[in-house]
Structures are given as structure tokens and as C-alpha cells.
Amino acid sequence: LVALLISSYVNGRNLRSKQAGWTAYFDAMGAPNAEGFEAVSKAFPGTPAGAWALQTAGDLRLDESLRQMFQDRETAQQELLAAREIYEQVLQVSRDPMLKQRALFGLAKSLESQGELDQAEAKYEEITSVWPTSQIGHLAQNRLDELQKPSTKPWYTWFAEQEPVRSPLTDPDVFQDLPNLPDRPDFQMPAAGQLLPSDGAPA
């Protein structure tokens, strides 16, 4: 009886933890950022929601790194390293086949973005060998096909040597010296007749 009560208590506590984890996960979806999902994963370790939060954080960091590739290479590299570490954590903590596919694919894309093409190919090949008919398996095969084209590796070598060119749209310092703007512009419309001269004739 004591063993049954203890088992019931533990199962109930685990269920409540899983439910709270998913609540926190969907709350983080309201304003998605990597730090928010990383906090969820730390608050609910060992739960499905915690593992998915970790995966989502990796995806967000990978997306940010790809955006920064054309603006700030140093920041892009930092985000790529963070994404790689997160994907490796997911592979360690989760047995969910879908999560493992996604984490491997994200890891492969991170390696590819850093120009480590041989390692990226190995990860894509791992996906296609284990999950050849899945959607992510097909995506991995597409990336393999692209990487094996003769023109792909020279392009990555060329791209790695390029420096992003800052423009007013990508340089945040451009707008620092502007004068202070009013808190609320005056959009008040003139009253009827105010656009006419005092004699009533058209302006």
C-alpha cells in the first residue's frame, strides 16, 4: 500500500510538472526569443516541454545567426556556436525521434553555415540513413545534393572571405546623433473652413 501511494504521488507530481512545462512553453511562444525558451528548459529539465524549449531556442539562435551573416559576422559566429551547443544538448537529453531529427538537422545547418562542410555532410547522411522517408530526411537529402555539387564548396569559400557592408538599414549607429523627436506628433486636422482665407474665396 505504501509503495502504491508513493507511486501515485510521484506520477501525479510528474504529470503536474509536465503540464506546467507546456504552459510555460506556450507562454514563451507569445514573445519568442532564445533566452525565454532556454529559461523554460532549465525550469523543467527532463520533461518533453523542456526538451522542445531547448530545441526551439536552438532554432531561434540559428535563424538569428543566418540573419547576422549579412550584417555582423562576429555576432553570427557567436549565435552559431550557441546553436550548436544547444542542438548537442537536445541530442543528449531527448529520445524523441522527431526531436532528434530536428536537432541533427539544426546541427548540420550550423556546421554548414560555419563552412565545416564535411562535418555537415556527415550529419545530413546520419539523418538520411536513419529516417530516409521522413520530411526532415528529405530535407537532409536535398542539402546533401546541394553540398555535393562542384560549385558549392568554392562558393562557401568565397562567401567566408566577404565582409558585410554596413548601410543605414543595417548600422544602428547611424541614427544615434539625431535630435530628440517629440513624444507624440501633432496630427490634429484643421477645422472646417480653416483652409479658406478670411474673405471666403478659395485659397
Side-chain angles (χ1 to χ4, degrees), residues 74-200:
E74 183 177 351
T75 299
Q77 291 299 324
Q78 292 172 356
E79 292 291 332
L80 280 171
L81 287 173
R84 285 177 58 172
E85 292 177 0
I86 289 173
Y87 291 133
E88 288 167 352
Q89 288 181 52
V90 175
L91 291 171
Q92 292 175 1
V93 304
S94 179
R95 296 181 179 179
D96 183 337
M98 178 57 70
L99 264 180
K100 293 183 77 68
Q101 290 180 69
R102 289 176 62 96
L104 270 173
F105 189 80
L107 182 55
K109 286 188 67 176
S110 300
L111 291 164
E112 181 181 345
S113 299
Q114 290 184 299
E116 300 179 22
L117 303 186
D118 291 339
Q119 293 186 52
E121 284 188 42
K123 297 301 180 185
Y124 288 132
E125 287 172 351
E126 184 176 349
I127 297 171
T128 57
S129 64
V130 180
W131 301 282
T133 61
S134 71
Q135 181 178 5
I136 295 178
H138 291 309
L139 292 174
Q141 186 59 59
N142 289 339
R143 293 310 309 148
L144 275 174
D145 294 341
E146 287 295 321
L147 289 177
Q148 290 168 0
K149 290 180 178 179
S151 60
T152 299
K153 291 184 179 181
W155 184 90
Y156 273 96
T157 301
W158 170 84
F159 184 72
E161 297 171 351
Q162 307 309 305
E163 287 293 334
V165 178
R166 285 196 165 193
S167 71
L169 296 179
T170 60
D171 187 353
D173 298 331
V174 169
F175 302 102
Q176 287 187 352
D177 297 330
L178 292 177
N180 292 329
L181 298 176
D183 292 336
R184 181 174 301 191
D186 184 6
F187 291 116
Q188 183 176 358
M189 298 296 291
Q194 284 188 348
L195 295 180
L196 295 176
S198 57
D199 60 1

